[in-house]
């Protein structure tokens, strides 16, 4: 059996335990900082994803509106084309009718 622990052995054990405690405290502090940074980064990524989703929805709505505007302009041009064609045809028929009646 071993004898009782001396005061010097106890002090040495105490110093080693305190050193180990300080080392582990530093490691825990470092770990806590990294966990907090990771949490902040995760929140930022979540906000970014939400913003990107909102931008995608707005872009889709703008695309739909742009298609409607492009179709409207095309329909207007086609309608105007028919009016011009009708006017020219009417002039030509009027000219032919006038020529035949003289």
């Amino acid at each position: 059996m071993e004898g009782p622990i001396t005061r010097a052995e106890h002090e040495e054990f105490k110093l080693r335990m305190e050193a180990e405690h300080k080392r582990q405290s530093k490691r825990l502090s470092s770990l806590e900082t990294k966990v907090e940074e990771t949490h902040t980064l995760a929140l930022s990524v979540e906000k970014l994803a939400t913003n990107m989703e909102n931008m995608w929805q707005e872009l889709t709505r703008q695309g739909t509106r742009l298609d409607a505007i492009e179709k409207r302009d095309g329909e207007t041009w086609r309608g105007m084309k028919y009016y011009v064609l009708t006017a020219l045809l009417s002039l030509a028929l009027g000219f032919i009718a006038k020529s035949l009646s003289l």
Side-chain angles (χ1 to χ4, degrees):
M1 214 170 149
E2 290 189 26
I5 298 175
T6 64
R7 183 79 172 156
E9 289 175 330
H10 179 69
E11 286 297 320
E12 179 66 27
F13 178 75
K14 177 184 158 191
L15 291 174
R16 287 185 184 189
M17 290 301 291
E18 287 174 350
E20 180 67 14
H21 176 69
K22 285 180 185 177
R23 185 183 74 79
Q24 288 181 358
S25 289
K26 285 181 183 179
R27 291 182 68 200
L28 280 174
S29 293
S30 175
L31 183 61
E32 287 172 346
T33 302
K34 289 180 182 182
V35 166
E36 183 63 33
E37 289 172 356
T38 303
H39 179 68
T40 302
L41 180 62
L43 289 176
S44 296
V45 169
E46 182 180 356
K47 287 179 186 178
L48 179 63
T50 301
N51 287 338
M52 288 181 68
E53 183 179 348
N54 291 338
M55 286 172 41
W56 178 255
Q57 290 172 355
E58 180 61 27
L59 184 62
T60 302
R61 285 192 298 266
Q62 286 179 357
T64 303
R65 290 192 306 250
L66 182 62
D67 286 342
I69 290 171
E70 288 174 345
K71 286 178 184 177
R72 185 178 62 205
D73 290 344
E75 290 170 359
T76 302
W77 174 248
R78 280 191 293 277
M80 186 179 290
K81 195 168 51 171
Y82 290 123
Y83 291 134
V84 170
L85 183 60
T86 302
L88 290 176
L89 188 59
S90 297
L91 284 172
L93 288 175
F95 181 74
I96 292 173
K98 183 178 177 188
S99 297
L100 290 176
S101 66
L102 288 177

